[in-house]
Amino acid sequence: GNPKLAKEIQGMSKSTDIVLDEQWGLDHGAWTVIKHMYPKADIPVILLSLDYYKKPQQHYELARELLALRNKGVLIIGSGNLVHNLRLVNWQKLNENVGYDWALEANDRMKQLMIDRNHSELINYPKLGKAFEMAIPTPDHFLPLLYILALQDKSEQIRFFNDKPVAGSLTMTSVKVG
């Protein structure tokens, strides 16, 4: 980690009480991504845990408060899945790029909303219908996307990569801002 930067981040938020914890390790959403990007583990990592009691709009607003980190050269990664419904995974097709109709519908609609910069609909995803309800049964894998979108500059485009459905009810779609 970087205790000095963590303390600075703690002071950046006016809307959220950020509590520092040097004992909590990296969760699987962090290390599974970072280990491929930095296999020597030679960079400091600060994990921002999600507060399940906050509404999606509050997560988006907290991210806006952290915008200055990008200007300091801090790499910000939001790790999750656009579509993540483990209850409906087709385990027989775990290694196949297949998606249920609702999963593909939700994934495509999310991408279009990002391209259109329609962050408000993504923030209010529970109102977007059955496909979204099935694609996002719990918010923990979707909320990191809101942090990344909140940090998007008006001139920056969204790019997608690794845009593949997996086992019916997951998508590995990755989003790059800037």
Side-chain angles (χ1 to χ4, degrees):
N2 181 332
K4 182 179 174 189
L5 180 60
K7 190 76 173 157
E8 184 178 337
I9 292 168
Q10 182 182 38
M12 293 173 81
S13 177
K14 306 300 178 229
S15 66
T16 301
D17 184 27
I18 297 176
V19 178
L20 302 182
D21 184 342
E22 293 182 22
Q23 303 305 310
W24 193 272
L26 297 178
D27 73 17
H28 72 282
W31 66 261
T32 56
V33 173
I34 296 168
K35 75 176 186 169
H36 297 288
M37 296 173 69
Y38 299 97
K40 294 180 182 175
D42 56 355
I43 63 158
V45 176
I46 298 170
L47 179 72
L48 181 64
S49 297
L50 296 172
D51 184 342
Y52 285 178
Y53 295 106
K54 296 210 177 293
K55 296 184 183 317
Q57 180 68 44
Q58 292 172 296
H59 286 280
Y60 188 86
E61 290 167 3
L62 172 58
R64 295 294 301 163
E65 292 178 339
L66 303 177
L67 187 59
L69 293 172
R70 289 190 71 199
N71 297 332
K72 293 178 70 89
V74 175
L75 174 63
I76 300 170
I77 300 171
S79 177
N81 290 84
L82 298 186
V83 175
H84 190 273
N85 190 327
L86 287 180
R87 292 179 222 142
L88 298 176
V89 164
N90 183 335
W91 295 104
Q92 286 72 40
K93 298 193 179 207
L94 189 58
N95 295 315
E96 296 180 34
N97 295 128
V98 296
Y100 298 127
D101 289 345
W102 56 264
L104 298 175
E105 175 187 337
N107 193 67
D108 289 345
R109 178 97 188 273
M110 285 183 229
K111 290 189 305 185
Q112 190 59 53
L113 290 169
M114 284 184 258
I115 290 167
D116 295 343
R117 295 178 181 266
N118 192 338
H119 297 180
S120 64
E121 282 206 40
L122 289 163
I123 291 167
N124 293 299
Y125 70 89
K127 297 178 181 178
L128 293 177
K130 187 69 172 172
F132 276 75
E133 182 182 319
M134 294 179 76
I136 310 167
T138 61
D140 48 326
H141 287 87
F142 180 78
L143 290 174
L145 174 67
L146 298 182
Y147 281 81
I148 299 307
L149 295 178
L151 298 171
Q152 182 184 15
D153 183 271
K154 292 185 188 318
S155 66
E156 293 178 310
Q157 298 299 312
I158 294 276
R159 289 180 281 180
F160 303 103
F161 61 98
N162 199 32
D163 189 12
K164 296 180 172 91
V166 176
S169 65
L170 305 169
T171 60
M172 298 291 127
T173 305
S174 298
V175 179
K176 182 177 181 189
V177 173

